């Protein structure tokens, strides 16, 4: 899908469909008023019918409007004028896109960014429109016939800005938004693909393909033999119970002129988590195909950095494996030696994410990172603690925490900080190894982060537990593409393309 920016007199702009906002109680938005005037009061006349009172997400399609160049006008309810939040703005946009996908317009001109939802600026209003629209347009069809697929898919959305001075910012927003949206779509697709297709090898192939698309991206895949040689005993112990060979995927993007230290993103790439010998209950086990969502978000962020040609160095590291029960699988009580040299007693084979991540974190030292952020669907406990709205953020680095939280806020992909105090560390004590891989019932998301912290001492580091945010269950089951928006926002800020305010 293509995104463009336009300014000029709305009534005179040619488009198959012009999208205008309407507020509660039947109040036309600014752009709608201008169009109303040009049409000789046609819109206010229609508003009198009461068919659309302005409730968020309600829509009304109008045809053959006098004095207007657009073939149709789509009126969208945006709620109360004073209460237009980013969330309700996205909701209104989604509803408009939904309707557009069911008609034969193919493209549209949207004046909603002019409504300046609370907490935005012209840049964010345009970027939000782009990402919300793309979010709605994404459909999964890799393994099923998409019977409800739109006959005339939306090919182009043009965002209208009233002020010529905002054109540069708006164009930048459209470019950034499109890259974020493409990263989100990639992460969604990888998360949605089943475990028998999206295996560690499949992820590795995807990375190699990505590397082929961009000159500044070099991709390397470490095989089990390489990992053996390095001494990645923790990662390899997880994959031993699976017939699919583990892969350690490294995507190295060099966008900075100098040899600046890279940001390293590490993502859990567990392509199916049955729990291993500590097997999970059958109900909803299918959803554990998304246990590679952290890795998928690394793919999405790396792709966005490449597409935007960001002037930074960025390394994506994705340890990829399955976690299955098998005669060779980890058993409770087994002790393995990690790449760091520390030994781990595996008390629960279902706490496998930290086992593959710890070796990837140690491996990341070799890139001499500016900072490392890992993303992982790590614990059910994080979902219990925070619900499904924010990702859990863990770091001892206050400055980094503030930077990540601000990026999440700006990208409408929020994170919330959890404690990472040393008080929790003793829960990982083991009588037989340097540490156990679980810390008991209390504070499960925190002890998981504590475990990782022991492998991330050589650099600035933060951990995002995305178990609650990377996926939605129920009728709309599927990947969300989070936290790609947060990550790309952070990269944009770090590369000087943006301030936290846009
Ligand atoms: N992949 C799961 C965590 C998870 C649970 C993600 C639910 C998304 C939704 C992880 O590997 C896991 O199994 N964690 C265990 C840890 C426990 C054994 C200490 C958990 O959360 O139950
Ligand atoms: Mn598990
Ligand atoms: Zn897992």
């Amino acid at each position: 899908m293509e995104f463009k920016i336009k300014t000029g007199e709305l009534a005179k702009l040619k488009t198959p469909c012009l999208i205008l906002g309407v507020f509660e109680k039947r109040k036309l938005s600014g752009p709608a008023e201008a169009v109303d005037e040009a049409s000789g009061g046609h819109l206010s006349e229609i508003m009198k019918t009461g068919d659309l009172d302005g409730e968020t997400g309600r829509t009304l399609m109008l045809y053959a409007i006098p004095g207007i160049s657009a073939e149709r006008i789509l009126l969208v309810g945006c709620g109360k004028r004073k209460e237009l939040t980013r969330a309700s703005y996205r909701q209104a946009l989604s509803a408009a896109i939904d309707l557009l996908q069911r008609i034969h317009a193919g493209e549209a001109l949207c004046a909603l960014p002019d409504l300046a939802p609370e907490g935005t600026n012209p840049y964010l209003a345009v970027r939000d429109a782009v990402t919300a629209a793309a979010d709605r347009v994404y459909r999964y069809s890799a393994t099923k016939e998409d019977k409800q697929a739109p006959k005339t898919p939306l090919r182009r959305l043009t965002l209208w800005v009233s002020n010529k001075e905002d054109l540069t910012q708006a164009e930048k927003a459209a470019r950034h938004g499109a890259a974020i949206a493409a990263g989100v779509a990639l992460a969604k697709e990888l998360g949605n693909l089943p475990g028998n297709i999206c295996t560690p090898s499949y992820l590795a192939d995807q990375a190699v393909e990505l590397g082929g698309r961009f000159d500044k991206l070099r991709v390397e895949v470490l095989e089990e033999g390489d990992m053996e040689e390095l001494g990645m005993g923790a990662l390899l112990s997880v994959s031993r119970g699976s017939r699919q060979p583990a892969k350690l995927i490294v995507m190295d993007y060099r966008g900075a002129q100098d040899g600046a230290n890279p940001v390293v993103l590490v993502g859990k790439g567990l392509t199916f988590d049955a729990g291993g010998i500590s097997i999970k209950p059958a109900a909803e086990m299918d959803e554990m195909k998304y246990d590679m969502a952290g890795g998928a978000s690394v793919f999405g962020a790396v792709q966005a950095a490449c597409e935007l040609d960001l002037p930074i160095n960025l390394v994506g590291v994705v340890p990829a494996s399955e976690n299955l029960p098998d005669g060779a699988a980890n058993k409770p009580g087994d002790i393995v030696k990690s790449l760091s040299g520390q030994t781990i007693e595996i008390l629960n084979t279902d706490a496998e994410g930290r086992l593959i991540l710890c070796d990837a974190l140690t491996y990341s030292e070799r890139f001499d990172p500016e900072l490392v952020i890992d993303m992982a669907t790590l614990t059910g406990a994080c979902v219990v603690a925070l619900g499904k709205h924010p990702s859990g953020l863990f770091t001892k680095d206050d400055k980094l925490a503030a930077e990540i939280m601000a990026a999440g806020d700006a990208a409408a992909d929020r994170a919330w900080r959890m404690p990472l105090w040393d008080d929790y560390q003793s829960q990982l004590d083991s009588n037989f190894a340097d540490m156990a891989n679980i810390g008991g019932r209390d504070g499960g998301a925190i002890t998981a982060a504590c475990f990782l912290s022991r492998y991330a001492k050589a650099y600035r580091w933060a951990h995002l537990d995305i178990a609650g945010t990377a996926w939605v269950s129920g009728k709309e089951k599927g990947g969300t593409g989070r936290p790609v928006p947060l990550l790309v926002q952070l990269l944009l800020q770090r590369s000087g393309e943006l301030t936290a305010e846009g």
Side-chain angles (χ1 to χ4, degrees):
M1 192 168 154
E2 191 191 0
F3 298 95
K4 298 207 116 143
I5 303 296
K6 229 183 207 163
T7 182
E9 204 178 322
L10 271 178
K12 294 202 176 131
L13 295 176
K14 279 211 173 71
T15 174
C17 184
L18 171 61
I19 306 171
L20 297 171
V22 171
F23 292 112
E24 277 176 38
K25 306 281 184 205
R26 306 185 202 171
K27 287 197 190 93
L28 296 175
S29 61
E33 266 173 5
V35 171
D36 184 45
E37 213 163 286
S39 71
H42 191 78
L43 297 192
S44 22
E45 208 47 50
I46 283 175
M47 291 311 285
K48 282 188 196 149
T49 64
D51 290 2
L52 183 75
D53 96 327
E55 230 178 296
T56 308
R58 292 293 178 85
T59 51
L60 188 66
M61 187 69 92
L62 313 177
Y63 299 87
I65 311 99
I68 304 298
S69 300
E71 288 167 35
R72 312 167 176 81
I73 287 183
L74 173 52
L75 295 178
V76 194
C78 294
K80 294 205 172 75
R81 191 194 290 269
K82 291 212 176 94
E83 289 171 12
L84 184 66
T85 61
R86 289 177 75 185
S88 57
Y89 172 67
R90 292 180 78 98
Q91 199 185 330
L93 248 151
S94 271
I97 301 298
D98 226 18
L99 204 157
L100 279 171
Q101 293 272 70
R102 281 183 271 123
I103 61 167
H104 295 287
E107 55 183 280
L109 174 65
C110 176
L112 295 192
D114 194 59
L115 308 187
E118 193 195 325
T120 66
N121 46 38
Y123 169 86
L124 275 182
V126 168
R127 201 180 80 178
D128 272 6
V130 168
T131 53
D135 231 15
R136 196 68 211 175
V137 164
Y138 171 85
R139 303 178 71 88
Y140 178 81
S141 63
T143 50
K144 79 184 265 229
E145 191 193 336
D146 187 359
K147 294 208 178 86
Q148 267 113 48
K151 298 215 170 52
T152 310
L154 196 58
R155 279 173 290 104
R156 179 190 295 158
L157 184 66
T158 305
L159 287 322
W160 181 79
V161 293
S162 54
N163 200 337
K164 277 199 182 62
E165 272 108 74
D166 292 336
L167 271 180
T168 323
Q169 281 296 85
E171 259 145 26
K172 182 156 112 175
R175 203 161 46 82
H176 291 176
I180 292 170
V184 165
L186 174 58
K188 281 186 186 178
E189 187 72 3
L190 291 174
N192 288 339
L193 283 170
N196 62 330
I197 293 176
C198 185
T199 58
S201 303
Y202 181 89
L203 284 180
D205 291 346
Q206 293 301 303
V208 170
E209 206 169 284
L210 199 60
R213 276 171 51 203
F214 302 101
D215 285 346
K216 294 180 185 167
L217 183 63
R218 247 199 47 240
V219 172
E220 189 189 1
V221 178
L222 273 67
E223 306 294 334
E224 287 190 342
D226 306 319
M227 296 186 242
E228 198 84 57
E229 242 166 69
L230 284 162
M232 295 188 163
L235 195 165
L236 286 168
S237 78
V238 175
S239 110
R240 208 178 303 121
S242 147
R243 306 212 179 161
Q244 294 290 339
K247 307 275 172 179
L248 185 75
I249 301 163
V250 180
M251 294 171 272
D252 195 336
Y253 168 76
R254 297 284 147 175
Q257 303 290 13
D258 49 23
N261 303 57
V263 170
V264 176
L265 299 177
V266 179
K268 174 177 175 183
L270 215 291
T271 59
F272 188 75
D273 182 12
I277 297 298
S278 316
I279 197 163
K280 288 181 183 294
E284 279 129 48
M285 203 205 267
D286 62 292
E287 298 192 354
M288 279 302 117
K289 68 178 182 179
Y290 91 94
D291 211 13
M292 32 55 69
S297 75
V298 174
F299 277 76
V302 168
Q303 176 183 275
C306 293
E307 281 182 354
L308 294 172
D309 202 28
L310 293 185
I312 47 158
N313 291 332
L314 172 69
V315 181
V317 178
V318 179
S321 170
E322 291 184 325
N323 185 28
L324 294 174
D326 168 281
N330 276 328
K331 304 174 293 297
D334 282 2
I335 293 175
V336 299
K337 190 167 186 176
S338 65
L339 175 60
S340 72
Q342 302 175 94
T343 57
I344 304 160
E345 183 182 19
I346 299 170
L347 291 176
N348 189 318
T349 66
D350 198 9
E352 85 298 336
R354 59 199 81 180
L355 295 175
I356 66 170
L357 285 167
C358 70
D359 280 346
L361 287 171
T362 305
Y363 186 76
S364 298
E365 287 177 16
R366 71 174 52 212
F367 303 111
D368 197 8
E370 167 78 25
L371 65 97
V372 177
I373 306 174
D374 78 74
M375 283 68 59
T377 45
L378 201 62
T379 66
C382 191
V383 192
V384 173
L386 291 174
K388 294 182 167 229
H389 302 291
S391 301
L393 167 62
F394 302 79
T395 179
K396 278 196 172 180
D397 187 324
D398 292 341
K399 218 173 144 209
L400 182 55
E403 189 182 339
I404 293 173
M405 298 262 289
D409 289 349
D413 178 11
R414 288 188 288 192
W416 193 254
R417 194 173 180 188
M418 300 271 283
L420 189 60
W421 301 321
D422 292 336
D423 310 55
Y424 295 91
Q425 289 282 358
S426 61
Q427 286 178 240
L428 295 171
D429 286 351
S430 156
N431 286 353
F432 305 108
D434 295 331
M435 71 198 77
N437 79 327
I438 54 169
R441 263 178 49 91
D442 299 349
I446 303 168
T447 51
C450 283
F451 181 97
L452 296 179
S453 74
R454 297 176 180 214
Y455 299 84
K457 295 211 158 111
Y459 40 68
R460 294 183 75 195
W461 166 76
H463 157 63
L464 285 169
D465 194 329
I466 58 168
T469 52
W471 182 262
V472 284
S473 304
K475 206 168 153 274
E476 300 277 300
K477 180 147 78 172
T480 62
R482 291 178 70 182
V484 171
L486 180 156
L487 295 175
V488 179
Q489 173 73 29
L490 190 89
L491 297 176
L492 286 168
Q493 286 171 207
R494 289 216 143 235
S495 58
E497 293 267 313
L498 274 189
T499 62
E501 287 76 45

